[in-house]
């Protein structure tokens, strides 16, 4: 009898142990499944965050690049060159039987393609003469020089101006020569003057018949000239004045304005393409339409609930079996 009870106890304990092992195995599998699902969720969330951060950074870099490119394109299309400097080679007719010039020094400068004037932009046209501070030039006194603008339709515009060298007394010339004598002897400096003659102010090119040639003439046979340079200076006003004289302020303002405009365009496009109606349309076009999608979701939820109920019932049964086995063991001992 006692052997039979011992066998029953062993059988009950073995069955209980097997069920406990089975329950532990099922519990471990369930925990592993939950852990994998949680890990997948964390990985998916992390990937989504990384993708969103990368997309935000790339979008910001793209907006900044486009804004800078737009401002640079606008600057180079809107702003003309501030100063054109063109060397002038003065020509004259030499006297065959005496020293000096037998004609006035003159030169012709073709504007295109060397100098391009922007339509509607005022310019000032000047001539800069580099002359030696010689006795002949000091004794020359006043002299005349003229500039003639020739348009493509053969029309001409003429301007003449008088000029004179800066006066220097004999004492001042002696003091200057003594003070700068080391530089004069080494050749690092020379005695010269620069004369700037302004012929036109607020000059605007004709858009229909643009200027094609400038003709210069210095109306003096006795002037001595080292070199001559034609200066075409753009006189900026309004927005061009700000962009040229305050480049940092205009650059920051222009780029920020472009960034704001591009950001608004992107946000409006985003809200347009990702409205609730568009999301519903994307869901309808995804292959799960109408009630079929709801049925699939409900079925998956039901299967998950059944799995959880089975695990819970198995856990209750195992607990009851363990209680009965313990009770029978206590009774057999008694």
């Amino acid at each position: 009898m006692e052997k039979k009870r011992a066998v029953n106890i062993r059988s009950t304990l073995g069955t209980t142990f097997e069920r406990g092992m089975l329950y532990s195995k099922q519990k471990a599998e369930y925990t592993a499944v939950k852990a994998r699902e949680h890990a997948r969720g964390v990985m998916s969330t992390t990937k989504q965050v990384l993708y969103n951060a990368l997309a935000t950074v790339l979008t910001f870099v793209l907006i900044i690049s486009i804004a800078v490119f737009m401002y640079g394109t606008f600057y180079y299309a809107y702003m003309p060159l501030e100063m054109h400097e063109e060397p002038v080679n003065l020509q004259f007719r030499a006297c065959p039987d005496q020293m000096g010039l037998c004609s006035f020094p003159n030169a012709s400068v073709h504007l295109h393609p060397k100098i391009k004037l922007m339509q509607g932009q005022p310019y000032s046209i000047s001539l800069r003469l580099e002359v030696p501070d010689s006795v002949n030039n000091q004794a020359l006194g006043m002299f005349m020089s003229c500039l003639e603008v020739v348009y493509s339709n053969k029309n001409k515009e003429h301007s003449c101006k008088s000029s004179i060298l800066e006066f220097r007394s004999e004492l001042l010339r002696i003091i200057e020569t003594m003070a700068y004598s080391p530089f004069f002897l080494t050749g690092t400096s020379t005695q010269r003057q620069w004369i700037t003659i302004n012929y036109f102010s607020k000059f605007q090119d004709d858009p229909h018949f643009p200027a094609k040639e400038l003709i210069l003439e210095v109306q003096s046979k006795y002037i001595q000239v080292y070199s001559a340079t034609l200066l075409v200076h753009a006189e900026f006003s309004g927005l061009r004045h700000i962009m040229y004289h305050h480049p940092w302020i205009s650059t920051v303002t222009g780029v920020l304005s472009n960034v704001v405009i591009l950001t608004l365009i992107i946000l409006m496009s985003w809200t347009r393409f990702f409205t609730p109606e568009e999301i519903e349309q994307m869901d309808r076009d995804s292959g799960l339409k109408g009630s079929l999608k709801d049925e699939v979701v409900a079925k998956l939820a039901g299967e998950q609930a059944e799995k959880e109920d089975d695990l819970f019932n198995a856990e209750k049964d195992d607990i009851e079996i363990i209680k009965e086995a313990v009770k029978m063991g206590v009774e057999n001992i008694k």
Side-chain angles (χ1 to χ4, degrees):
M1 190 69 175
E2 291 180 358
K3 292 182 178 181
K4 187 176 181 180
R5 288 180 179 178
V7 170
N8 290 333
I9 292 171
R10 291 174 182 174
S11 177
T12 303
L13 291 176
T15 304
T16 304
F17 181 75
E18 290 178 357
R19 291 190 177 184
M21 291 294 293
L22 179 62
Y23 169 74
S24 299
K25 183 178 180 181
Q26 292 178 350
K27 189 67 175 178
E29 291 178 354
Y30 178 75
T31 304
V33 171
K34 286 293 185 181
R36 284 196 296 269
E37 292 179 354
H38 180 69
R40 289 174 182 172
V42 172
M43 290 178 62
S44 177
T45 304
T46 305
K47 287 181 179 180
Q48 190 67 28
V49 171
L50 291 176
Y51 289 157
N52 291 337
L54 182 61
T56 302
V57 172
L58 292 178
T59 303
F60 181 75
V61 172
L62 179 63
I63 290 175
I64 295 296
S65 302
I66 295 176
V68 173
F69 175 77
M70 290 174 60
Y71 179 79
T73 303
F74 171 75
Y75 184 89
Y76 285 104
Y78 184 71
M79 290 293 295
L81 188 62
E82 194 268 340
M83 176 70 76
H84 296 275
E85 295 189 7
E86 184 66 23
V88 176
N89 186 19
L90 295 175
Q91 304 289 327
F92 58 89
R93 184 168 54 87
C95 297
D97 54 354
Q98 62 180 0
M99 297 178 57
L101 286 65
C102 284
S103 66
F104 294 147
N106 60 84
S108 178
V109 178
H110 294 275
L111 294 179
H112 299 284
K114 298 179 180 179
I115 301 175
K116 295 182 180 180
L117 303 181
M118 181 174 288
Q119 305 298 332
Q121 170 63 45
Y123 290 90
S124 64
I125 303 177
S126 307
L127 178 66
R128 183 173 62 198
L129 295 175
E130 182 184 4
V131 298
D133 195 9
S134 62
V135 178
N136 289 339
N137 283 337
Q138 288 290 341
L140 177 63
M142 296 183 66
F143 62 93
M144 293 291 294
S145 61
C146 297
L147 174 66
E148 189 175 74
V149 181
V150 181
Y151 294 93
S152 58
N153 61 348
K154 305 302 182 181
N155 289 339
K156 298 180 180 180
E157 191 171 353
H158 195 78
S159 177
C160 292
K161 295 294 178 66
S162 62
S163 305
I164 189 172
L165 273 72
E166 181 182 354
F167 173 75
R168 294 181 183 179
S169 64
E170 291 295 331
L171 179 60
L172 179 60
R173 292 166 62 89
I174 294 172
I175 295 174
E176 182 183 19
T177 303
M178 293 178 63
Y180 287 93
S181 57
F183 302 100
F184 294 153
L185 293 175
T186 57
T188 56
S189 179
T190 58
Q191 291 179 307
R192 67 184 70 187
Q193 291 190 31
W194 286 269
I195 305 173
T196 302
I197 309 167
N198 186 14
Y199 297 103
F200 291 98
S201 296
K202 305 296 182 180
F203 174 82
Q204 294 189 20
D205 198 11
D206 191 343
H208 303 289
F209 303 101
K212 68 175 184 178
E213 186 180 8
L214 300 177
I215 299 176
L216 292 163
E217 185 179 55
V218 180
Q219 297 180 350
S220 175
K221 297 180 181 179
Y222 306 102
I223 189 170
Q224 298 172 340
V225 180
Y226 278 144
S227 63
T229 305
L230 179 67
L231 305 177
V232 181
H233 177 72
E235 298 179 352
F236 295 134
S237 61
L239 182 59
R240 287 193 175 103
H241 177 83
I242 296 174
M243 293 177 67
Y244 182 79
H245 294 283
H246 306 282
W248 285 106
I249 297 175
S250 60
T251 300
V252 172
T253 304
V255 171
L256 288 180
S257 301
N258 291 334
V259 167
V260 171
I261 294 173
L262 292 173
T263 303
L264 290 176
I265 293 174
I266 291 175
L267 290 178
M268 292 174 64
S269 303
W270 184 274
T271 55
R272 172 65 181 86
F273 289 111
F274 292 94
T275 55
E277 292 80 4
E278 296 293 334
I279 295 175
E280 292 178 0
Q281 182 67 29
M282 292 170 63
D283 292 338
R284 286 195 296 268
D285 296 339
S286 64
L288 298 175
K289 299 184 179 180
S291 60
L292 178 60
K293 181 180 178 181
D294 298 336
E295 291 178 0
V296 172
V297 173
K299 185 177 179 180
L300 293 175
E303 291 178 356
Q304 184 68 22
E306 289 178 0
K307 289 181 180 179
E308 292 179 357
D309 292 338
D310 292 340
L311 291 173
F312 181 72
N313 293 330
E315 183 179 356
K316 289 178 63 179
D317 294 339
D318 292 337
I319 294 172
E320 292 295 333
I321 291 170
I322 293 171
K323 287 182 179 180
E324 291 178 1
V326 173
K327 185 178 179 180
M328 290 176 62
V330 172
E331 290 177 355
N332 292 329
I333 292 172
K334 290 179 178 180

